[in-house]
Amino acid sequence: MKTVECLLRHATTGPGTGALLDLLDEAERAHAAGMRHAGSRDEFVLGRATARLLVAEGWGVEPSTVTFRAVCRSCAGPHGRLEVVTAQGVVHVSVSHSAGRVAVAAALGVRCGVDVERIALRGAKPPVTALSAAERAVFAAVPQAQRTAVFVRYWTRKEAVLKATGDGLTVAPATLTVSGPSEPARVLAWTDRPEPHLTVHLSDVDVGPGFFGALATLDLPHTVIG
Ligand SMILES: CC(C)(COP(=O)(O)OP(=O)(O)OC[C@H]1O[C@@H](n2cnc3c(N)ncnc32)[C@H](O)[C@@H]1OP(=O)(O)O)[C@@H](O)C(=O)NCCC(=O)NCCS
């Protein structure tokens, strides 16, 4: 079966992240300057710098010539899933950040979505309303000590899919059912999926210790190059 090569990188923010601002374009630098939370700003800067370098390396272009564009699936505004036009075609790019870890995926001609999450809870309890009935049944059956990891695995798989389609969280994650953590990643069901209906290919990806990651591509299965 035909597959698409999906380039994947992960990186962590640190003292050198500020210096990467020089790699960003004017609009991205202005966006970063408006971000008050230093941690979020660093993640944005590292994400866009990593994305630019990944596209430059993968498709043989100068980093300074990489201009990301985005068209929101909901309002057609200039935000959402990223893409860049190269001489070889449109490269689709997905960026994700969590607790200083950044993951970037890029594929030529195929839409992709990546999600990275720290294996930890943001609140006191996992927000199980994000899970479908089938996922909740699996979640409820696992021992308490494993529930955070199980929830984060589900969440990364679901969010990678919603990022590949461009829906993001405008679509309730509970409408989507993915396979459980003990099975290979795949989409099992999607009720009320907005048109157009799509084939989604899903895998778990290594984004470093302490974090889970997932990658989704539309229409074609992927081979991860990272
Ligand atoms: C995308 C979304 C799922 C990200 O959630 P998150 O866990 O906080 O963030 P992540 O770190 O995984 O991803 C952030 C990246 O997702 C990308 N992104 C934003 N919206 C996206 C979408 N609809 N589809 C795919 N990717 C999207 C951006 O590149 C962003 O990175 P950047 O800030 O460096 O540009 C969530 O914020 C969302 O649904 N946003 C869009 C909501 C929307 O479309 N509203 C309608 C507006 S009119």
Side-chain angles (χ1 to χ4, degrees), residues 8 29 39 43 52 63 70 74 83 86 105 119 123 137 172 201 215:
L8 183 74
R29 282 199 295 268
E43 288 179 346
R52 186 164 273 105
S74 302
E83 57 185 37
T86 72
I119 310 167
H201 300 270
L215 174 69

Side-chain angles (χ1 to χ4, degrees), residues 166-184:
D167 293 311
L169 298 176
T170 60
V171 166
T175 60
L176 172 67
T177 300
V178 297
S179 52
S182 59
E183 299 164 47

Side-chain angles (χ1 to χ4, degrees), residues 91-109:
V91 175
H92 295 273
V93 175
S94 183
V95 178
S96 182
H97 12 73
S98 171
R101 186 70 48 86
V102 168
V104 179
L108 178 65

Side-chain angles (χ1 to χ4, degrees), residues 30-45:
H31 182 77
M35 297 177 82
R36 292 190 181 278
H37 185 263
S40 302
R41 186 170 57 243
D42 277 358
E43 288 179 346
F44 176 78
V45 170

Side-chain angles (χ1 to χ4, degrees), residues 105-180:
L108 178 65
V110 168
R111 289 172 182 182
C112 57
V114 71
D115 191 52
V116 59
E117 296 289 339
R118 189 157 70 100
I119 310 167
L121 287 185
R122 290 190 189 170
K125 286 182 177 173
V128 288
T129 50
L131 303 180
S132 69
E135 292 165 344
R136 269 189 237 185
V138 174
F139 178 81
V142 299
Q144 198 74 33
Q146 292 169 26
R147 287 195 181 170
T148 296
V150 167
F151 180 83
V152 175
R153 183 64 88 191
Y154 267 130
W155 180 261
T156 53
R157 289 178 176 181
K158 288 155 82 76
E159 198 169 310
V161 173
L162 294 173
K163 291 178 76 178
T165 60
D167 293 311
L169 298 176
T170 60
V171 166
T175 60
L176 172 67
T177 300
V178 297
S179 52

